[in-house]
């Protein structure tokens, strides 16, 4: 009887042990499944965030590029006026038609020329335009003013644009501010948001205008007084904002609500991609300041619900279901497989991001630098100007990596990038080639003296002590400078000259600036 009781107790202990082991294994499996699900959820959130940031960056860059391209179109138009003593209506029409605005420059309403007129010139001017075959031409709005302007050329000269013929833009305060700024600075200027005179009917959009001054040929315009005295008029381009923004979004910015503000505040809203939502109210949103032609736009992006569902991976749900229904080993193997796959996808995303920008510093990489250098050289060649290329190599950087580790070195490189950017203009480019090598492209310089000032400013900034991760570092830089076209008439020769000048700075004792020698 005692032996029977002992066997029963032993069997009972085995059943209890089996239950306890099963419960322990189930608890462990559920715990691992939860941890795997939590990790996958964070990865999914990061994937959505990365896709959102990339889409916003692409959208902002396309807006910047469009505004820059349209400014270049106006600069070319100014050059057209400068190349002729008197541009006729037929010549202007032929010039604009050759640009094929609708096909090549979406969003632009046209290109026009507004002539500056003094009160005593009005009667003669109106008579001359009417004699060209426009008997109803007049300057509007009516009324006495100290200065008049008139849109005399605007192509394509049909449809909405006919309403602008003879309009005095200088009579409007918003337009007048931009026109005066362009006149006095000799640079492109954009107006605040306006309703274009071309608008009519039910399809009314907000718009804006971009101006560039045209000065009388062979007369000086180096000072504000000379610019005001010798102004002929303005070339300008009107834009309807919704037409301008159409086509900005591409694959990575699909599913984003884009809002454009002419400054701060809801009252300054110019464009809203989705009227039924506000970007700032969406869980994932961000706002960026975009500067162009002397004006700052605030561009807000928000991720719409379909963006999140399209970009978010279903791995967390799969892992949760698999962890409950299969064994610990299979769940672990599934996690390892999915983790490998996530790393591969992350590597692919990073490769896409690194196509144009350096992953560590966020500066343009070599590919984007080459593109901008080519554009800058083409622009300098057209205007017969100069540009400068600065090759920057950090001195005494290797001991930082050797003594404090690469993590500390990476933080130092980020700080170098920030300091380099602080020395650059909006039109210039700071780039990282790799390691401790940086490049600064000054797209417009007034000779060696101006380039030297910038190089010495950069050198002084980079030589200041660095406070990184609780350590103080003293490093410097060797800077080689090459000017276009003195030191190279193509990108390859210019890069080689700047590189050689940088090595000359190294050999000269470092922490110095050296210019490339003139080619023999």
């Amino acid at each position: 009887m005692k032996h029977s009781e002992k066997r029963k107790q032993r069997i009972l202990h085995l059943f209890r042990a089996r239950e306890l082991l099963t419960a322990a294994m189930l608890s462990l499996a559920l715990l691992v499944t939860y941890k795997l699900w939590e990790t996958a959820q964070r990865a999914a959130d990061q994937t959505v965030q990365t896709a959102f940031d990339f889409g916003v960056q692409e959208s902002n860059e396309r807006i910047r590029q469009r505004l820059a391209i349209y400014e270049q179109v106006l600069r070319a138009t100014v050059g057209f006026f400068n190349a002729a003593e008197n541009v006729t209506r037929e010549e202007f029409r032929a010039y604009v038609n050759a640009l094929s605005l609708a096909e090549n420059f979406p969003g632009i309403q046209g290109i026009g020329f507004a002539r500056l007129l003094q009160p005593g010139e009005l009667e003669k001017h109106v008579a001359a335009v009417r004699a060209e075959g426009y008997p109803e031409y007049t300057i509007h709005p009516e009324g006495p003013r100290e200065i008049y302007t008139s849109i005399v050329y605007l192509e394509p000269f049909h449809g909405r644009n006919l309403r602008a013929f003879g309009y005095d833009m200088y009579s409007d305060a918003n337009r007048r501010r931009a026109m005066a700024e362009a006149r006095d600075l000799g640079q492109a200027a954009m107006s605040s948001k306006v309703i274009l005179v071309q608008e009519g009917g039910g399809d009314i959009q907000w718009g804006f205008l971009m101006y560039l001054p045209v000065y009388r040929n062979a007369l000086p315009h180096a000072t504000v007084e000379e610019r005001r005295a010798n102004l002929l008029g303005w070339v300008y381009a009107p834009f309807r904002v919704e037409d301008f923004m159409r086509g900005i979004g591409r694959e990575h910015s699909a599913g984003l609500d884009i809002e454009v503000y002419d400054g701060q505040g809801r009252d300054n809203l110019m464009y809203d991609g989705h009227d039924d939502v506000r970007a700032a109210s969406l869980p994932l949103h961000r706002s960026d300041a975009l500067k162009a032609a002397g004006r700052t736009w605030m561009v807000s992006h928000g991720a719409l619900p379909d963006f999140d569902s399209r970009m978010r991976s279903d791995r967390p749900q799969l892992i949760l279901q698999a962890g409950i229904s299969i064994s610990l080993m299979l769940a672990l193997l599934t996690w390892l497989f999915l983790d490998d796959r996530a790393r591969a996808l992350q590597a692919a995303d990073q490769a896409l991001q690194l196509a144009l920008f350096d992953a560590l510093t966020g500066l343009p990489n070599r590919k984007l630098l080459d593109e901008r250098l080519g554009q800058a050289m083409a622009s300098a060649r057209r205007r017969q100007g100069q540009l400068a290329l600065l090759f920057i190599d950090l001195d005494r950087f290797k001991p930082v990596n050797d003594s404090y580790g690469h993590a500390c070195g990476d933080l130092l490189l980020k700080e170098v990038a920030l300091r380099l950017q602080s020395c650059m203009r909006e039109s210039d480019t700071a780039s990282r080639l790799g390691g401790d090598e940086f490049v600064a492209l000054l797209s417009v310089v007034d000779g060696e003296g101006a380039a030297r000032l910038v190089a010495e400013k950069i050198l002084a900034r980079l030589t200041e002590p660095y406070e990184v991760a609780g350590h103080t570092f003293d490093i410097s830089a060797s800077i080689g400078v090459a000017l276009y076209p003195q030191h190279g008439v193509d990108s390859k020769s210019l890069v080689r000259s700047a590189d050689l000048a940088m090595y000359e700075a190294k050999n000269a004792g470092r922490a110095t600036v050296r210019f490339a020698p003139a080619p023999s």
Side-chain angles (χ1 to χ4, degrees):
M1 190 67 179
K2 290 182 178 179
H3 290 293
S4 176
E5 189 67 26
K6 288 181 180 180
R7 285 196 302 269
K8 288 181 180 179
Q9 289 295 328
R10 189 176 297 135
I11 293 172
L12 182 60
H13 286 321
L14 288 175
F15 273 111
R16 289 175 178 173
R18 183 189 64 180
E19 292 171 357
L20 289 173
L21 181 60
T22 301
M25 290 296 292
L26 179 60
S27 298
L28 181 61
L30 290 175
L31 177 61
V32 172
T33 298
Y34 171 77
K35 292 298 182 182
L36 294 174
W37 172 85
E38 187 179 47
T39 300
Q41 188 68 24
R42 285 198 300 267
D45 291 341
Q46 185 59 46
T47 297
V48 173
Q49 181 69 53
T50 300
F52 174 75
D53 290 340
F54 188 87
V56 170
Q57 179 178 316
E58 183 188 50
S59 174
N60 288 340
E61 188 59 29
R62 286 178 58 78
I63 293 174
R64 288 192 191 96
Q65 288 176 355
R66 280 198 176 183
L67 291 173
I69 289 171
Y70 296 151
E71 181 178 337
Q72 291 305 315
V73 171
L74 289 184
R75 290 189 180 280
T77 307
V78 172
F80 176 66
F81 273 85
N82 291 338
E85 293 186 2
N86 183 35
V87 176
T88 66
R89 189 177 304 277
E90 290 72 20
E91 290 170 341
F92 189 82
R93 179 176 294 118
Y95 167 78
V96 176
N97 287 341
L99 295 177
S100 300
L101 296 180
E103 294 80 8
N104 299 323
F105 306 100
I108 195 168
Q109 186 70 18
I111 296 178
F113 172 67
R115 184 178 295 277
L116 176 68
L117 297 168
Q118 300 299 327
E121 300 174 308
L122 293 185
E123 184 175 349
K124 182 179 179 180
H125 167 76
V126 171
V129 176
R130 289 178 177 179
E132 293 181 24
Y134 303 96
E136 298 182 359
Y137 170 81
T138 188
I139 296 176
H140 58 95
E142 297 179 350
R145 296 184 285 276
E146 294 183 0
I147 295 177
Y148 293 83
T149 69
S150 176
I151 299 175
V152 292
Y153 299 157
L154 181 56
E155 298 295 337
F157 195 55
H158 57 72
R160 297 176 181 271
N161 285 343
L162 295 177
R163 301 187 184 120
F165 190 39
Y167 177 60
D168 181 0
M169 292 185 288
Y170 208 77
S171 64
D172 175 73
N174 288 338
R175 293 169 172 84
R176 182 166 60 249
R177 280 192 292 268
M179 296 169 77
E181 179 181 343
R183 174 199 64 198
D184 291 347
L185 297 179
Q187 298 176 357
M190 287 199 315
S191 72
S192 59
K193 70 172 186 177
V194 298
I195 297 295
L196 300 176
V197 294
Q198 287 94 326
E199 295 292 348
D203 182 22
I204 296 179
Q205 302 179 16
W206 285 111
F208 66 96
L209 304 105
M210 184 181 292
Y211 297 94
L212 264 175
V214 179
Y215 301 105
R216 301 181 188 277
N217 287 341
L219 293 179
H221 50 273
T223 66
V224 173
E225 291 74 16
E226 291 174 344
R227 295 181 190 123
R228 292 181 178 181
N230 299 323
L231 181 71
L232 181 64
W234 294 263
V235 295
Y236 80 102
F239 300 88
R240 306 177 81 214
V241 178
E242 291 184 16
D243 295 342
F244 172 83
M245 291 295 297
R246 189 172 293 118
I248 287 293
R250 284 192 170 182
E251 178 183 355
H252 292 283
S253 54
L256 298 180
D257 178 34
I258 305 177
E259 298 173 356
V260 180
Y261 296 84
D262 182 30
Q264 299 282 354
R266 187 70 179 174
D267 293 339
N268 293 316
L269 180 66
M270 297 173 62
Y271 171 82
D272 191 347
H274 294 79
D275 295 334
D276 55 337
V277 296
R278 287 194 60 187
S281 67
L282 295 169
L284 196 57
H285 65 273
R286 113 181 200 193
S287 295
D288 301 277
L290 271 63
K291 295 183 179 180
R295 195 153 194 89
T296 300
W297 285 353
M298 294 300 300
V299 181
S300 296
H301 290 81
L304 298 168
D306 65 317
F307 178 89
D308 187 275
S309 61
R310 182 165 55 87
M311 293 296 178
R312 184 175 296 277
S313 170
D314 58 357
R315 290 192 304 273
Q317 185 66 23
L318 292 175
I319 290 175
L320 185 62
Q321 294 173 352
I324 296 173
S325 62
I326 64 176
S327 67
L328 176 61
M329 184 59 70
L330 185 57
L332 181 58
L333 292 174
T334 302
W335 177 82
L336 291 173
F337 170 76
L338 292 176
D339 185 65
D340 289 341
R341 184 181 177 190
R343 291 179 183 276
L345 291 174
Q346 185 179 26
D349 289 339
Q350 290 176 345
L352 183 62
Q353 180 68 15
L354 292 175
L356 293 177
F357 292 88
D358 176 58
L360 177 64
T361 63
L363 295 178
N365 61 13
R366 184 183 296 272
K367 180 180 179 181
L368 185 53
L369 174 66
D370 289 343
E371 293 179 3
R372 292 187 178 177
L373 177 57
Q375 294 171 358
M377 293 182 74
S379 176
R381 193 177 298 113
R382 285 194 302 270
R383 69 174 189 277
Q384 296 183 345
Q386 295 177 298
L387 63 83
L389 194 65
L390 283 63
F391 265 48
I392 305 165
D393 190 87
L394 301 182
D395 302 327
R396 302 190 302 275
F397 176 75
K398 187 176 183 300
V400 175
N401 272 343
D402 294 342
S403 302
Y404 298 92
H406 289 282
C408 193
D410 288 347
L411 293 175
L412 182 57
L413 289 175
K414 290 182 179 180
E415 179 62 25
V416 170
L418 291 175
R419 293 189 181 187
L420 179 58
Q421 285 180 303
S422 69
C423 299
M424 310 295 289
R425 300 169 301 186
E426 185 72 20
S427 59
D428 299 331
T429 298
S431 173
R432 181 187 179 217
L433 299 185
D436 58 354
E437 294 182 335
F438 294 81
V439 173
L441 169 61
L442 311 181
S443 57
V444 178
V445 294
D446 294 328
E448 180 176 326
R452 183 178 297 278
L453 286 176
V454 176
E456 291 177 349
K457 177 182 178 182
I458 292 173
L459 180 59
R461 190 75 177 93
L462 298 186
T463 307
E464 295 175 3
Y466 295 80
E467 298 290 338
V468 176
H471 303 286
T472 300
F473 299 106
D474 289 309
I475 65 172
S476 59
S478 298
I479 302 178
V481 185
L483 297 175
Y484 170 88
Q486 294 95 315
H487 304 132
V489 296
D490 55 62
S491 59
K492 184 176 180 180
S493 60
L494 194 65
V495 167
R496 183 170 59 253
S497 296
D499 194 26
L500 291 174
M502 183 270 291
Y503 279 106
E504 179 64 24
K506 286 279 188 185
N507 296 332
R510 305 185 179 184
T512 187
V513 177
R514 286 292 184 270
F515 276 74
S520 56

